[in-house]
C-alpha cells in the first residue's frame, strides 16, 4: 500500500529537522516502512497498519511543533516511549520499556523480570542476582535507556570489574579504552540494541553514557544518574561498598550478578552475597532473585545451567 502525507502551513524543515535528523529518528521506529520525503510531501510504502500508525504519530509530532518553538529528537522519542509512566509500569508488568533500534518492543518477558521493573520505580537500589541468560543486565540497561530518553536522569554509567573469565589474556595492545573494551563488550552490545549507533557515539563522546571499569568509580559522587554494576560477583566486599557509597541525589543503582560464576582466583572473596545479606532489610533496597526457569536465551541454556548446577551440588 502507498500513501502520501502533505505538510500544510508549515515549513518542512521545522518537522524534518536540520539534515532531516528528526525525520530520520522518527522513521527509525518503522524499519519495514519505505519513507520518501520530497519537499512538503512524504510518500509511504508498506503495510496498511504501519502506515496508519505512522500517520497518527506523525500528526502528534506536528501538534508538538505548534506547541513549542522547535522540535528535538527527544520529542520523537517521547512519542514512542514516553507514554510509559512509572504508574503504568506498576499497573502493567508487560508495558514496553523501550523500542530497539529495529523497532521491536522491549518489555519484561517473565514474572521475575516484571518484579525487577516494578522494583526499579519503588526503590533506589536494586540487586538482581541469578544464573546467566535471565536478562538481568539487559532489563537494567533498558530501564536506564528509558529513563534517559524520558529525561528522568542526565546520564547512564555502566561498570563492571575487569576480571578475566578463567583465562589469562596477557598483554593487550592499544590505549586504555582498547584494553578495557573486551571486558565491557556485553554492555556495548545491549546499548547498541536500543540506541542507534550514531546517537550512541554522541552520547559516549559527550559523557551522557559512560562505560568504565569498577576501579574508576572511586571518589565519584553520582547524581541524577542510573548506574549499573554488572558481574558484581567478581567484586570483593570492599569494592562493593565503594560502589554503593557513590550514590548521589536522584540516582538509581542496579547491581547484577551470578553467584555461581565467580571468576576471582579465590571464589570465597566474592562480596556479592555477603553485601546483600548486610543491606537487604534497608528500606529503599530491593533484591530480585532469578532462577533457572527465568532463562530467556536459547532453550539449551536452561538445560546446560541445570546440568552444571546438579554436578556442583553432587560434588
Amino acid at each position: 500500500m502507498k500513501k502520501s502525507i502533505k505538510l500544510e502551513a508549515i515549513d518542512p524543515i521545522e518537522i524534518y529537522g536540520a539534515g532531516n535528523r528528526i525525520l530520520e529518528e522518527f522513521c527509525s521506529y518503522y524499519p519495514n516502512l519505505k519513507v520518501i520525503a520530497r519537499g512538503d510531501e512524504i510518500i509511504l510504502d508498506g503495510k496498511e497498519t504501519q502506515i496508519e500508525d505512522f500517520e497518527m504519530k506523525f500528526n502528534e509530532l506536528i501538534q508538538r511543533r505548534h506547541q513549542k518553538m522547535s522540535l528535538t529528537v527527544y520529542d520523537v522519542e517521547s512519542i514512542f516511549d514516553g507514554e510509559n509512566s512509572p504508574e503504568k509500569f506498576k499497573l502493567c508488568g508487560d508495558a514496553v520499556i523501550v523500542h530497539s533500534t529495529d523497532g521491536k518492543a522491549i518489555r519484561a518477558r517473565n514474572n521475575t523480570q516484571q518484579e525487577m521493573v516494578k522494583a526499579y520505580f519503588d526503590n533506589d537500589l536494586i540487586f538482581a542476582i541469578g544464573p546467566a541468560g535471565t536478562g538481568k543486565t539487559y532489563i537494567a540497561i533498558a530501564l536506564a535507556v528509558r529513563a534517559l530518553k524520558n529525561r528522568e536522569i542526565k546520564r547512564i554509567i555502566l561498570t563492571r570489574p575487569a576480571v578475566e573469565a578463567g583465562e589469562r589474556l596477557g598483554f593487550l595492545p592499544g590505549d586504555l579504552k582498547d584494553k578495557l573494551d573486551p571486558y565491557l563488550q556485553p554492555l556495548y552490545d545491549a546499548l547498541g540494541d536500543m540506541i542507534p549507533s550514531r546517537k550512541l557515539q554522541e552520547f559516549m563522546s559527550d559523557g551522557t553514557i559512560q562505560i568504565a571499569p569498577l576501579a574508576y568509580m572511586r571518589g565519584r559522587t553520582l547524581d541524577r544518574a542510573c548506574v549499573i554494576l554488572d558481574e558484581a560477583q567478581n567484586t570483593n566486599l570492599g569494592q562493593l561498598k565503594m560502589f554503593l557509597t557513590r550514590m548521589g541525589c536522584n540516582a538509581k543503582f542496579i547491581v547484577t550478578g551470578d553467584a555461581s560464576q565467580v571468576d576471582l582466583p579465590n571464589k570465597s572473596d566474592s562480596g556479592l552475597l555477603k553485601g546483600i545479606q548486610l543491606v537487604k532489610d534497608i528500606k529503599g533496597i530491593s533484591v530480585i532473585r532469578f532462577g533457572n526457569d527465568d532463562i530467556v536465551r536459547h532453550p539449551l541454556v536452561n538445560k546446560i545451567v541445570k546440568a552444571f548446577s546438579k554436578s556442583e551440588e553432587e560434588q
Side-chain angles (χ1 to χ4, degrees), residues 21-301:
R21 185 180 180 192
I22 293 175
L23 180 63
E24 288 177 0
E25 174 72 16
F26 191 93
C27 293
S28 69
Y29 289 89
Y30 298 93
N32 299 319
L33 190 64
K34 185 177 180 180
V35 182
I36 300 175
R38 294 175 177 167
D40 60 357
E41 183 182 26
I42 298 177
I43 301 172
L44 307 174
D45 186 359
K47 292 183 179 180
E48 182 177 0
T49 53
Q50 285 194 321
I51 290 176
E52 290 176 352
D53 188 71
F54 183 101
E55 189 172 17
M56 179 183 68
K57 286 186 167 62
F58 195 76
N59 286 334
E60 184 177 343
L61 186 68
I62 293 173
Q63 289 301 315
R64 287 185 179 228
R65 172 58 189 87
H66 290 314
Q67 295 167 4
K68 56 186 298 189
M69 292 294 293
S70 62
L71 294 173
T72 70
V73 291
Y74 291 109
D75 292 300
V76 176
E77 291 165 351
S78 65
I79 287 173
F80 290 92
D81 303 325
E83 68 269 20
N84 289 321
S85 65
E87 291 72 21
K88 183 174 181 180
F89 269 103
K90 292 176 185 178
L91 295 173
C92 182
D94 63 350
V96 175
I97 304 174
V98 290
H99 286 86
S100 67
T101 53
D102 61 3
K104 181 181 177 181
I106 297 174
R107 50 166 55 93
R109 296 174 60 182
N110 53 46
N111 291 336
T112 311
Q113 288 188 3
Q114 289 178 12
E115 286 181 31
M116 182 175 172
V117 171
K118 293 175 182 177
Y120 173 86
F121 294 104
D122 291 329
N123 302 272
D124 290 334
L125 171 58
I126 300 170
F127 288 91
I129 60 173
T134 51
K136 308 178 296 294
T137 302
Y138 198 79
I139 291 295
I141 292 177
L143 288 167
V145 171
R146 174 199 171 278
L148 182 65
K149 288 186 173 183
N150 288 355
R151 284 176 278 187
E152 297 165 7
I153 57 173
K154 286 186 176 180
R155 53 186 171 161
I156 297 173
I157 299 172
L158 309 177
T159 184
R160 55 160 41 186
V163 177
E164 297 162 338
E167 300 177 69
R168 291 293 174 263
L169 301 181
F171 175 77
L172 291 173
D175 59 17
L176 179 62
K177 181 179 182 300
D178 295 328
K179 296 177 190 295
L180 295 172
D181 276 355
Y183 299 101
L184 306 174
Q185 190 59 48
L187 305 181
Y188 287 112
D189 292 343
L191 285 170
D193 282 351
M194 304 174 204
I195 302 175
S197 57
R198 186 173 66 179
K199 183 180 293 185
L200 179 57
Q201 287 299 321
E202 291 176 4
F203 281 156
M204 297 189 70
S205 295
D206 64 19
T208 300
I209 294 179
Q210 302 172 26
I211 303 180
L214 180 61
Y216 283 68
M217 295 297 105
R218 186 174 298 278
R220 303 183 67 181
T221 300
L222 306 174
D223 297 316
R224 202 176 172 192
C226 185
V227 188
I228 300 171
L229 169 59
D230 189 34
E231 301 289 354
Q233 76 275 5
N234 290 328
T235 62
N236 59 42
L237 196 58
Q239 290 173 314
L240 185 61
K241 176 186 175 183
M242 179 275 290
F243 172 77
L244 297 179
T245 53
R246 301 307 95 204
M247 184 180 289
C249 298
N250 301 312
K252 294 277 189 178
F253 272 43
I254 304 176
V255 178
T256 67
D258 177 4
S260 70
Q261 289 191 335
V262 178
D263 300 314
L264 298 172
N266 186 352
K267 295 185 184 298
S268 63
D269 288 341
S270 175
L272 178 58
L273 295 182
K274 300 171 187 174
I276 290 175
Q277 192 63 29
L278 290 173
V279 303
K280 63 183 177 65
D281 295 325
I282 299 175
K283 186 177 180 180
I285 297 176
S286 177
V287 180
I288 307 297
R289 300 180 186 275
F290 289 81
N292 293 342
D293 293 337
D294 295 315
I295 293 174
V296 293
R297 288 181 185 164
H298 192 287
L300 281 177
V301 175

